[in-house]
Amino acid sequence: MPRTVRISQQTACTFIAATVETERAAITRQVTDIRQMSKLIANAAEQQPTVAEEINRSVVRGRGSAEESASASAGISAASGARHGLEALARWQDDELGDVPPSSFITVAEETGQTEAIGQWSLREACRQMAQWREAGAALPRVSVNLSPINFQNRDLPGYIAARLDEFALPGHRLTIEITESTSMTLTTEMLEVVQRIRALGCGLSVDDFGTGFSSLSRLANLPVTEIKIDRSFVERCVEESRLQSLIVAMVGLGHNLGMTVVAEGIETQEQRTLLGQYRSRYSRATCSPAP
């Protein structure tokens, strides 16, 4: 038979009081957390219109690199170490807001309909910077600009690119347009026609973040792609994990067999560079400061 345990009334009251105090403390922590979260949400809500207003003013006034700047990520040949090209990276420095991260202003731009304008600004700024470097005697083969799917919905995009190439006297092969792997799967027939017209200008077409999406190989074969960029998530652990090495070998072989340049993103160590060089990945990419 189970034993009956008798406790005094005082002990029972002490136990109940302790339990109530514990629950009260837990509720207090939850309330504090909720209040802190509410403040964060309120601050984000207050900042978003400010960011949106500044983006709109930047677009309307056509402000240049003093606020919105194009930083660069360099492509380096894995074999020779020669510079292969640059990728334009949009950055925003504002007098009032400070350094606004892309995760903030790109999201707000998408919500306020300014994504296309930012894409066009990025194209012009990249072409302008390439022309400036050329005049300074810097030998840079090409620059890549990542565009949003929204940009490809504009049938006038090829004409805009052609005008910018003409404005800065750049041949088409000096410019590569980047789309993410997920974007390549959402291109409509009309958007594919825009892509084809851009390629007709001599511009390259690069598929970014390759290997992270669920791309169709038939879509990859039918797109006028000139380059694939192996996502850095494969490169970061490729030295330690043989399964990732096998996937990289497959992607490099696929790209080369289709006549494409293969770029491995995020190479930071000599071991990674040596390994990718063995797999005939032609170029690595690492973030750097803009070229002089």
Side-chain angles (χ1 to χ4, degrees), residues 36 52 74 185 206 235 240 275 287:
Q36 291 177 345
M185 294 301 298
S206 177
V235 177
E240 296 82 12
L275 184 65
T287 301

Side-chain angles (χ1 to χ4, degrees), residues 73-78 84-87 142 144 176 178 205-211 225-235 248 251-252 255-256 260-267 276 279-286:
S73 175
I76 307 297
S77 170
H84 163 63
L86 293 174
E87 177 185 357
R142 66 190 181 104
S144 301
T176 294
E178 290 190 4
L205 179 66
S206 177
V207 176
D208 198 8
D209 303 335
F210 189 75
V225 176
T226 58
E227 175 184 271
I228 58 174
K229 296 171 62 178
I230 300 174
D231 188 73
R232 66 176 59 246
S233 61
F234 293 93
V235 177
I248 291 173
M251 287 186 280
V252 171
H256 287 171
M260 302 173 185
T261 298
V262 179
V263 173
E265 291 194 290
I267 294 180
L276 270 295
Y279 298 153
R280 295 172 55 241
S281 176
R282 295 177 59 186
Y283 302 105
S284 61
R285 192 175 293 276

Side-chain angles (χ1 to χ4, degrees), residues 179-186 207-215:
I179 59 175
T180 63
E181 184 179 28
S182 57
T183 296
S184 70
M185 294 301 298
T186 63
V207 176
D208 198 8
D209 303 335
F210 189 75
T212 60
F214 297 93
S215 61

Side-chain angles (χ1 to χ4, degrees), residues 32-48:
T32 301
D33 291 342
I34 291 173
R35 286 175 178 171
Q36 291 177 345
M37 185 177 297
S38 297
K39 289 180 180 179
L40 291 174
I41 293 173
N43 290 339
E46 290 175 359
Q47 186 180 25
Q48 180 160 326

Side-chain angles (χ1 to χ4, degrees), residues 150-207:
I150 295 175
N151 289 101
F152 295 97
Q153 294 175 9
N154 185 349
R155 295 179 60 84
D156 294 330
L157 177 61
Y160 179 85
I161 293 176
R164 301 292 74 76
L165 293 173
D166 183 65
E167 178 182 0
F168 296 103
L170 293 174
H173 68 266
R174 300 287 297 277
L175 177 66
T176 294
I177 303 300
E178 290 190 4
I179 59 175
T180 63
E181 184 179 28
S182 57
T183 296
S184 70
M185 294 301 298
T186 63
L187 296 177
T188 64
T189 301
E190 292 76 13
M191 294 164 74
L192 284 172
E193 180 183 345
V194 170
V195 171
Q196 295 283 2
R197 289 167 56 202
I198 293 173
R199 283 288 292 119
L201 297 173
C203 301
L205 179 66
S206 177
V207 176

